Amino acid sequence: DAGVTQSPTHLIKTRGQQVTLRCSPKSGHDTVSWYQQALGQGPQFIFQYYEEEERQRGNFPDRFSGHQFPNYSSELNVNALLLGDSALYLCASSLVAEETQYFGPGTRLLVL
Amino acid sequence: AQSVTQLGSHVSVSEGALVLLRCNYSSSVPPYLFWYVQYPNQGLQLLLKYTSAATLVKGINGFEAEFKKSETSFHLTKPSAHMSDAAEYFCAVSYFNDMRFGAGTRLTVKP
């Protein structure tokens, strides 16, 4: 049973560029959440997708957007990258009726 | 709004000693509480979860946590530390899939 997978594992971008990160949820899960984890900090909630709709959103600017596909996989897009966007981006999947979230290995983004 | 506070950003124990990582929560409704572990350059792995079924929760790798409503605490313990337990530990609270994490506690295990 495959767990949550994310791609790519690492990414280097320059300021002002745009980036797309991808996530495939654990088999059978229908909900995907994205988190940003800056160095030395706990994960911060970006947003959550269910039934291809953004269900909840944390305190992140509109530069952060996402999408969920019919197969429940998801993308996180970040426009106009800033140095401060450098972080580990974690995807987590769950069932909408349950609270337990399972995390992928993350994508480490470095913005130069 | 829900939140968790992890007391102690860094805990150091000797191999074989008791591990105690502290977490206090704030929630206006009965919470779902979690402990996750993060090894270097990896994602978060679920250690255990409290979902109101039992106040003492047993997890993987010999860890357990006790939910104490009167103290609003959910401390993580392990009777005997192993070198492989060295990692970052995160306490989290969730309600309707809105999960909030503490700042984390880095556990160091000395030989």
Side-chain angles (χ1 to χ4, degrees):
Chain A
D1 176 24
V4 180
T5 60
Q6 293 185 241
S7 63
T9 56
H10 294 81
L11 208 49
I12 300 175
K13 293 286 187 179
T14 57
R15 281 178 296 174
Q17 285 189 313
Q18 178 264 345
V19 68
T20 298
L21 311 181
R22 296 176 175 81
C23 172
S24 292
K26 185 177 170 66
S27 178
H29 284 182
D30 54 15
T31 301
V32 174
S33 302
W34 287 92
Y35 294 82
Q36 180 194 66
Q37 186 180 18
L39 201 61
Q41 298 182 24
Q44 299 292 316
F45 174 69
I46 302 174
F47 44 53
Q48 182 182 86
Y49 278 83
Y50 170 66
E51 290 190 337
E52 303 178 51
E53 297 281 339
E54 184 180 289
R55 188 164 172 251
Q56 297 182 71
R57 188 178 184 93
N59 188 26
F60 278 80
D62 292 345
R63 298 187 297 109
F64 289 77
S65 63
H67 189 75
Q68 185 179 34
F69 299 94
N71 67 352
Y72 306 116
S73 67
S74 176
E75 288 182 350
L76 163 66
N77 300 291
V78 186
N79 294 322
L81 284 167
L82 304 174
L83 295 180
D85 294 332
S86 295
L88 179 68
Y89 289 84
L90 295 164
C91 169
S93 74
S94 58
L95 287 168
V96 69
E98 297 183 5
E99 299 287 342
T100 305
Q101 296 187 27
Y102 295 87
F103 285 78
T107 294
R108 188 163 297 281
L109 173 65
L110 177 61
V111 182
L112 301 176
Chain B
Q2 305 174 105
S3 64
V4 292
T5 302
Q6 292 185 241
L7 303 175
S9 59
H10 190 193
V11 170
S12 181
V13 300
S14 297
E15 190 173 20
L18 171 72
V19 175
L20 171 60
L21 305 183
R22 301 176 187 273
C23 174
N24 287 89
Y25 70 90
S26 173
S27 177
S28 57
V29 296
Y32 291 89
L33 294 162
F34 303 83
W35 277 99
Y36 286 88
V37 60
Q38 186 176 36
Y39 298 99
N41 300 313
Q42 294 187 26
L44 275 66
Q45 180 182 4
L46 179 67
L47 270 179
L48 49 80
K49 61 183 178 182
Y50 168 75
T51 57
S52 77
T55 56
L56 183 61
V57 181
K58 294 189 183 297
I60 62 172
N61 301 339
F63 285 94
E64 64 181 34
E66 186 173 7
F67 174 72
K68 292 188 177 180
K69 185 177 179 180
S70 60
E71 299 177 8
T72 61
S73 68
F74 189 57
H75 301 332
L76 181 71
T77 60
K78 181 174 180 178
S80 177
H82 191 273
M83 297 296 291
S84 61
D85 295 327
E88 189 87 18
Y89 291 80
F90 292 96
C91 180
V93 61
S94 183
Y95 185 66
F96 276 120
N97 268 267
D98 181 356
M99 185 170 279
R100 307 295 175 95
F101 286 85
T105 297
R106 179 167 299 277
L107 176 65
T108 301
V109 182
K110 298 174 291 185

